[in-house]
């Protein structure tokens, strides 16, 4: 029998309450991270090279704001939850060489971040997607999904290994607020 629809009665999970719980956990996380002055990272949108008339525009990274990296999630200061996408550093890409295609793509991302308004060697997250916190949007395919009345986090795509959302996020916040010695 499929899960009940959002707002279902006593027959199935109360998805509205689950979504409220997720929002409450995220609000506490934002409050803790802010109070601790936890290290945040840049969030950007990568714009590939393109030609406008006869002028070629180089790839660019356009800043979208700041986020905290919490494992498979990025959390914005406004409480927006993102699925982690790609990551690079705003570092000098050095010289172009005869490398694999994937190495050249990574070099292009570093170069775009380096030319952007980011501090040197800053971590820049891009291609992150907003996780819509609605019962119908939290299917089994994403990193956050609802199953049997619980909010679960999938460690990696294609994996069946899951943990509950609240303890996962709490642990990640604690690691960022109080990093282990020597890191």
């Amino acid at each position: 029998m499929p899960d009940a629809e959002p707002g279902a009665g006593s027959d199935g999970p109360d998805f509205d309450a689950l979504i409220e719980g997720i929002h409450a956990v995220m609000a506490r996380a934002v409050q803790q991270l802010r109070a601790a002055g936890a290290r945040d990272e840049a969030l950007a949108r990568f714009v590939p090279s393109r030609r406008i008339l006869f002028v070629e525009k180089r790839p660019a990274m356009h800043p979208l704001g700041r986020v905290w990296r919490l494992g498979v999630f990025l959390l914005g200061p406004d409480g927006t939850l993102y699925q982690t996408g790609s990551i690079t550093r705003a570092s000098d890409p050095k010289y172009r060489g005869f490398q694999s295609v994937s190495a050249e793509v990574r070099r292009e991302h570093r170069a775009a971040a380096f030319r952007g308004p980011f501090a040197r060697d800053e971590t820049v997250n891009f291609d992150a997607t907003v996780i819509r916190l609605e019962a119908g949007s939290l299917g089994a395919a994403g990193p956050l999904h609802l199953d049997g009345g619980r909010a679960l986090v999938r460690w990696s795509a294609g994996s069946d290994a899951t943990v509950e959302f609240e303890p996962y996020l709490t642990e990640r916040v604690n690691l960022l607020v109080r990093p282990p010695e020597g890191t």
Side-chain angles (χ1 to χ4, degrees), residues 140-154:
L144 176 61
H145 64 281
L146 305 179
D147 185 24
R150 300 180 311 160
L152 300 173
V153 176
R154 184 177 321 285

Side-chain angles (χ1 to χ4, degrees), residues 20-30 32 75 165-167 169-170 173:
E20 280 181 37
I22 291 169
H23 280 288
V25 169
M26 292 184 341
R28 282 193 305 273
V30 167
Q32 286 178 290
L75 180 60
F165 177 72
E166 184 171 5
L169 204 66
T170 300
V173 167

Side-chain angles (χ1 to χ4, degrees), residues 15-166:
F15 288 107
D16 291 337
L18 278 171
I19 300 297
E20 280 181 37
I22 291 169
H23 280 288
V25 169
M26 292 184 341
R28 282 193 305 273
V30 167
Q31 185 180 19
Q32 286 178 290
L33 292 164
R34 268 198 188 123
R39 184 179 72 85
D40 62 1
E41 300 175 352
L43 178 64
R45 181 174 52 91
F46 177 72
V47 179
S49 63
R50 62 207 181 281
R51 186 172 294 279
I52 299 175
L53 295 176
F54 298 107
V55 178
E56 185 167 344
K57 301 285 255 173
R58 297 194 304 188
M61 290 275 185
H62 295 281
L64 299 174
R66 309 293 298 176
V67 291
W68 292 285
R69 174 177 295 280
L70 301 170
V72 297
F73 301 116
L74 302 173
L75 180 60
D78 63 351
T80 302
L81 190 66
Y82 299 87
Q83 179 176 346
T84 301
S86 299
I87 185 171
T88 192
R89 289 214 179 263
S91 60
D92 189 350
K94 305 290 182 208
Y95 305 103
R96 181 170 259 175
F98 295 100
Q99 300 177 14
S100 67
V101 172
S102 62
E104 285 301 315
V105 168
R106 289 190 306 272
R107 183 189 167 285
E108 183 177 81
H109 293 151
R110 275 193 318 276
F114 186 74
R115 287 190 304 272
F118 307 104
R120 294 299 168 241
D121 294 321
E122 179 173 19
T123 301
V124 180
N125 297 279
F126 62 101
D127 290 343
T129 54
V130 172
I131 297 175
R132 291 182 27 228
L133 296 176
E134 301 164 355
S137 300
L138 297 175
L144 176 61
H145 64 281
L146 305 179
D147 185 24
R150 300 180 311 160
L152 300 173
V153 176
R154 184 177 321 285
W155 290 90
S156 63
S159 170
D160 288 335
T162 59
V163 295
E164 295 226 19
F165 177 72
E166 184 171 5

